[in-house]
Amino acid sequence: MSANNDIVLRVENLRTYFETDGGIVRAVDGVTFSVKRGKTLALVGESGCGKSVTAYSILRLIQKPGKIISGRIMLHADEQESIDILSLSEKSDELYDIRGGKVSMIFQEPMTALSPVHTVGNQICEAILLHQDVSRARAREIAIKALGDVGIPSPQKRIDIYPHEISGGMRQRVVIAMALVCRPQLLIADEPTTALDVTIQAQIIHLIKERQRDLSMAVMLITHDLGVVAQSADDVAVMYLGRIVEQADIRDLMKTPRHPYTMGLLKSLPSLSNRHKRLPSISGSVPSPAEIPTGCPFHPRCPYCVKGLCDTAAAPELTSLDSKHSVACLRANDSELKL
Amino acid sequence: MIQSNESQSNTPTKPLLRVKGLKKYFTVSVPSKGFLTRRTNAVKAVDDVSFDIMPGDILGVVGESGCGKTTMARTILRAIDPTSGTVELTLGDHTVDIATLKASKLKPLRQKMQMIFQDPFSSLNPRMTVGDIIGEPLVIHKLARGSELKDRVVEILKKVGLAPEHAVRYPHAFSGGQRQRIGIARALIMNPALVVADEAVSALDVSVQAQVINLLQDLQEEFKLTYIFVAHDLSVVKHICDRVAVMYAGKIVEMAPTDEIFDDPLHPYTRALLSAIPLPDPDVPMRFALGGEVADPGALPGGCSFHPRCDKCEDECKEKIPSLREYRPGHLVACHRAGNTPL
Ligand SMILES: Nc1ncnc2c1ncn2[C@@H]1O[C@H](COP(=O)(O)OP(=O)(O)O)[C@@H](O)[C@H]1O
Ligand SMILES: Nc1ncnc2c1ncn2[C@@H]1O[C@H](COP(=O)(O)OP(=O)(O)O)[C@@H](O)[C@H]1O
Ligand SMILES: [Mg+2]
Ligand SMILES: [Mg+2]
């Protein structure tokens, strides 16, 4: 397989803006990345940086006042011509085929994806019948197997319960079963464990990895938790104010980060060793996305900011340092910047 | 069970707070077989909890959702009445039992005990200015008005890292971290002796979480505050607390100085909680994940509540509820097997 065949999704220069009373919110502002077959790309960053809007854009789920302004979203599904999702018309069969078929999405709150008035089994069967040409009876068999695959005990009995009859962790398992039942090429998981206890989070991370291996599926994992990233991702893209500021292989990103924002995020983690010392934190807070600072958007909070450069030059582009590591920082090659 | 804390005999001061045999049961009505009849069921949200806190100490309380942390906090502050047990608060040489105190006697004490909540968005009245929100407790207790009220609001705003001009704005104009600062200012303006922070940093982004943790630590040192710090995130607890209590299904199952909880956990549940934290290091894979589901305090198994999820479970664990015992000075554990056999 050539390197290119490994790429399931390629997002190029995506811009998604919201027109609000307070001005234009550039929620996603020129984002480029790829997700590879069988691999996990983590999209990390603080709340409001544009992670969810990126995910919704990929599935064309952006609603007014939001609008995808520009970009390409190339989906390279198995044995098929690649499709630019942005070129598809709103009501086309291809788009319906992609949503929940070739590309599936799961959310932080499992009830976002579940209906409270239908049984778990009926909801999974609906998902199957929408994308596969099988009988109802066969769909039910597939659904039972899918529930078993995500670790739900005695699935043939549990298939007829309602979502409110089970715990949050079990619900997220059901959602995963439903998302994977059509064997998607790409799973987009938007904070899938944020609402769960750490113990249950560990089970769900493990489950997603296991199913990813079985289906050799690409995963785009959205999270703000660098612990979850370290335990699940192959590659990481760090977002700040709608842009990717650093992108690298997991080890490079965590051991030798090059962007001061990434360094700040890593340093502010409450560590298990530096007890009773002050936690280093990033000064200030994330500015409103309707008022993105001039120059490098991170400069007002950056400890390495150089007046007359970082606050005045054009916002830095994401530039590669080597084949596995890119950074958008005007001082990227300065040795003073280190963790 | 009362904790026999050795350090107590060495220090002349009495504990600020002494909780003994605290219970809070809720009666809920649940559908029984056939869905047409209902029966009542006791939810043992807090089930016989005892501990002391010395003045100036920070006690961490951790455990999965539904284990009773919030109910315990609210019962201690008498936001809800306990089913049984005592909560002795000592201020100066005056000791009172909060759990049984008459409402009229309770009111002046309420200022001394303040709570900071998880959700800075829903806990602030959107129609009040930040200055009014922060000053409100002083007004309610008739402790300050006019220019004195204003001065105290400005003073506390500065202490929590906000600016005096923020007083005239409304909460919606603030970020999550700033709103949490407003909540902290409102709690601290009363000069409380005891502050209960219920998941106060859980909803914040890491960079902001670090700022708020640092702020809570600075304020604790400056005002010699005593905290009960409730969290489900063990790494946060490690950073700020002197001692940690681990709760499971309404009971404290282990309590020890923070370093011991992390370096030498005795209860299989504490170990599981620790190993479930995803470490931010790709070269240290997760060691072991706990199976099973979070305990439902409305339907607990017999014996040790943790036994269905415990890989060290033996027959005794299914039959007998383990009591919280002092395994070594200052380190308490409720497990039949801790110490008997290597875990
Ligand atoms: N419907 C909307 N209207 C206006 N702004 C929006 C809307 N949805 C999202 N945004 C803005 O877009 C930015 C990115 O949001 P989001 O992608 O949800 O962030 P996160 O990284 O937390 O997932 C935020 O500043 C948010 O306020
Ligand atoms: N007012 C109430 N009525 C009935 N049950 C309650 C009430 N408040 C809490 N509970 C139950 O008590 C248990 C403990 O809840 P809580 O103290 O909120 O846990 P935690 O804060 O550790 O997540 C849960 O099972 C919860 O459902
Ligand atoms: Mg989001
Ligand atoms: Mg709670």
Side-chain angles (χ1 to χ4, degrees):
Chain A
M1 222 189 260
S2 81
N4 247 355
N5 280 344
D6 277 349
I7 291 175
V8 175
L9 181 82
R10 168 101 186 138
V11 172
E12 281 172 20
N13 217 1
L14 176 70
R15 286 176 211 276
T16 305
Y17 294 178
F18 289 86
E19 226 168 283
T20 68
D21 297 343
I24 290 182
V25 172
R26 290 181 278 163
V28 175
D29 202 13
V31 155
T32 299
F33 61 86
S34 309
V35 197
K36 298 186 205 115
R37 197 172 313 281
K39 301 279 183 198
T40 299
L41 170 78
L43 207 53
V44 293
E46 291 173 281
S47 47
C49 70
K51 306 181 296 293
S52 295
V53 171
T54 303
Y56 282 77
S57 301
I58 292 170
L59 285 174
R60 295 274 300 275
L61 294 170
I62 296 294
Q63 283 169 0
K64 280 192 172 152
K67 191 164 187 261
I68 298 175
I69 302 294
S70 68
R72 295 210 309 164
I73 297 177
M74 304 303 296
L75 181 68
H76 309 264
D78 263 348
E79 300 153 21
Q80 271 184 0
E81 295 281 299
S82 25
I83 313 168
D84 181 357
I85 296 180
L86 291 189
S87 74
L88 300 176
S89 86
E90 200 84 47
K91 295 221 159 59
S92 63
D93 289 345
E94 284 121 307
L95 197 54
Y96 280 104
D97 216 31
I98 289 171
R99 287 187 195 137
K102 296 189 185 79
V103 182
S104 257
M105 183 157 173
I106 57 180
F107 305 87
Q108 169 171 342
E109 199 14 86
M111 284 315 285
T112 314
L114 293 173
S115 151
V117 297
H118 294 110
T119 64
V120 160
N122 282 343
Q123 299 187 53
I124 301 181
C125 286
E126 278 317 306
I128 297 169
L129 293 169
L130 205 60
H131 294 283
Q132 296 177 31
D133 187 16
V134 294
S135 69
R136 253 208 120 72
R138 175 74 191 122
R140 193 175 159 90
E141 281 169 30
I142 299 173
I144 290 172
K145 164 134 191 349
L147 288 173
D149 286 346
V150 295
I152 291 183
S154 31
Q156 57 279 61
K157 274 190 229 147
R158 300 276 182 114
I159 188 160
D160 293 318
I161 55 179
Y162 289 87
H164 64 84
E165 295 176 284
I166 49 176
S167 69
M170 278 295 163
R171 268 181 225 148
Q172 199 59 298
R173 284 177 190 266
V174 169
V175 169
I176 293 172
M178 198 154 92
L180 301 187
V181 78
C182 295
R183 310 178 75 87
Q185 313 266 310
L186 171 69
L187 175 70
I188 301 174
D190 190 357
E191 309 258 5
T193 60
T194 303
L196 305 174
D197 279 300
V198 280
T199 49
I200 308 302
Q201 164 171 284
Q203 296 173 6
I204 297 292
I205 293 175
H206 183 76
L207 170 68
I208 292 177
K209 271 181 155 169
E210 197 181 83
R211 300 299 292 138
Q212 173 176 35
R213 217 173 300 130
D214 295 346
L215 300 171
S216 63
M217 154 180 89
V219 174
M220 184 174 137
L221 175 72
I222 294 176
T223 176
H224 64 274
D225 186 330
L226 288 163
V228 172
V229 170
Q231 296 301 326
S232 355
D234 299 290
D235 298 292
V236 190
V238 180
M239 281 186 83
Y240 187 75
L241 284 176
R243 293 157 170 265
I244 292 177
V245 295
E246 181 158 18
Q247 193 166 14
D249 146 80
I250 178 73
R251 270 186 190 74
D252 285 359
L253 189 106
M254 307 220 59
K255 309 264 170 175
T256 53
R258 299 293 302 159
H259 197 285
Y261 179 61
T262 314
M263 295 179 198
L265 283 182
L266 285 168
K267 279 195 276 195
S268 57
L269 288 176
S271 105
L272 296 176
S273 52
N274 68 347
R275 194 160 121 60
H276 280 315
K277 271 190 248 136
R278 281 183 76 80
L279 278 170
S281 64
I282 303 174
S283 71
S285 55
V286 181
S288 152
E291 295 160 20
I292 294 177
T294 55
C296 168
F298 186 59
H299 88 260
R301 304 177 72 193
C302 184
Y304 299 106
C305 169
V306 174
K307 279 247 164 64
L309 171 70
C310 302
D311 53 343
T312 53
E317 297 286 330
L318 195 63
T319 319
S320 8
L321 298 169
D322 59 53
S323 65
K324 290 190 300 183
H325 203 149
S326 338
V327 65
C329 171
L330 292 160
R331 298 185 64 195
N333 294 311
D334 199 324
S335 58
E336 193 201 322
L337 275 64
K338 57 170 171 281
L339 193 61
Chain B
M1 249 222 55
I2 305 162
Q3 183 200 353
S4 57
N5 193 332
E6 245 200 353
S7 63
Q8 257 167 250
S9 50
N10 303 339
T11 36
T13 31
K14 284 184 77 174
L16 176 84
L17 193 74
R18 166 163 279 181
V19 176
K20 272 193 266 181
L22 189 67
K23 291 185 185 176
K24 179 67 196 179
Y25 293 178
F26 294 105
T27 324
V28 291
S29 124
V30 289
S32 62
K33 273 202 193 90
F35 284 86
L36 290 171
T37 49
R38 297 183 82 80
R39 64 191 163 82
T40 55
N41 189 17
V43 176
K44 298 180 175 180
V46 177
D47 196 13
D48 198 7
V49 162
S50 303
F51 62 86
D52 290 352
I53 309 182
M54 299 306 288
D57 261 11
I58 306 182
L59 175 72
V61 178
V62 296
E64 289 165 302
S65 55
C67 73
K69 304 181 297 293
T70 297
T71 305
M72 183 185 85
R74 289 169 52 80
T75 314
I76 288 173
L77 300 184
R78 205 45 200 285
I80 46 177
D81 288 336
T83 303
S84 64
T86 59
V87 178
E88 286 176 9
L89 180 74
T90 302
L91 297 168
D93 10 296
H94 197 61
T95 300
V96 289
D97 178 12
I98 305 282
T100 53
L101 210 60
K102 272 208 292 270
S104 57
K105 295 244 172 76
L106 194 62
K107 196 179 172 212
L109 281 175
R110 288 216 185 269
Q111 356 166 349
K112 292 290 161 201
M113 308 181 294
Q114 293 290 326
M115 191 142 168
I116 305 170
F117 300 92
Q118 162 167 9
D119 186 359
F121 298 86
S122 62
S123 60
L124 303 176
N125 184 340
R127 280 177 295 275
M128 284 169 74
T129 64
V130 164
D132 288 343
I133 289 173
I134 294 173
E136 189 184 41
L138 289 178
V139 176
I140 290 175
H141 291 281
K142 298 196 176 65
L143 294 172
R145 56 199 184 99
S147 65
E148 194 204 339
L149 178 65
K150 245 192 189 147
D151 289 348
R152 286 190 55 184
V153 168
V154 166
E155 185 192 10
I156 200 84
L157 274 172
K158 287 192 205 147
K159 279 267 183 289
V160 299
L162 294 170
E165 60 267 26
H166 286 146
V168 295
R169 298 195 197 156
Y170 290 86
H172 67 81
F174 292 85
S175 68
Q178 285 175 318
R179 290 189 225 207
Q180 200 53 285
R181 288 172 194 270
I182 297 168
I184 293 170
R186 182 182 153 96
L188 295 192
I189 201 163
M190 299 300 292
N191 280 324
L194 177 70
V195 175
V196 179
D198 188 5
E199 310 264 11
V201 299
S202 304
L204 303 175
D205 279 312
V206 272
S207 75
V208 184
Q209 200 178 53
Q211 293 173 0
V212 175
I213 291 173
N214 287 337
L215 172 67
L216 285 170
Q217 256 172 333
D218 291 346
L219 295 168
Q220 193 270 337
E221 274 162 38
E222 183 173 353
F223 300 109
K224 297 283 165 286
L225 295 168
T226 308
Y227 288 147
I228 297 179
F229 194 88
V230 175
H232 61 263
D233 186 340
L234 270 159
S235 43
V236 172
V237 167
K238 171 143 188 172
H239 199 81
I240 189 167
C241 299
D242 303 300
R243 268 191 314 151
V244 176
V246 179
M247 278 184 85
Y248 191 82
K251 291 181 184 297
I252 293 179
V253 296
E254 182 160 9
M255 180 157 56
T258 306
D259 290 339
E260 277 200 45
I261 285 281
F262 283 83
D263 300 340
D264 188 18
L266 296 173
H267 200 288
Y269 178 61
T270 311
R271 293 176 183 208
L273 273 186
L274 282 169
S275 66
I277 305 173
L279 296 176
D281 184 343
D283 294 328
V284 186
M286 268 194 294
R287 286 151 290 167
F288 140 81
L290 181 64
E293 295 199 47
V294 174
D296 173 4
L300 292 178
C304 170
S305 298
F306 185 60
H307 88 253
R309 298 171 79 186
C310 186
D311 58 349
K312 310 292 175 211
C313 170
E314 286 189 345
D315 285 347
E316 185 187 15
C317 309
K318 296 176 189 161
E319 287 148 19
K320 226 173 87 197
I321 298 177
S323 58
L324 191 64
R325 63 195 160 99
E326 190 153 28
Y327 182 79
R328 67 172 81 93
H331 196 147
L332 289 81
V333 65
C335 171
H336 294 304
R337 302 209 47 210
N340 298 345
T341 29
L343 281 174

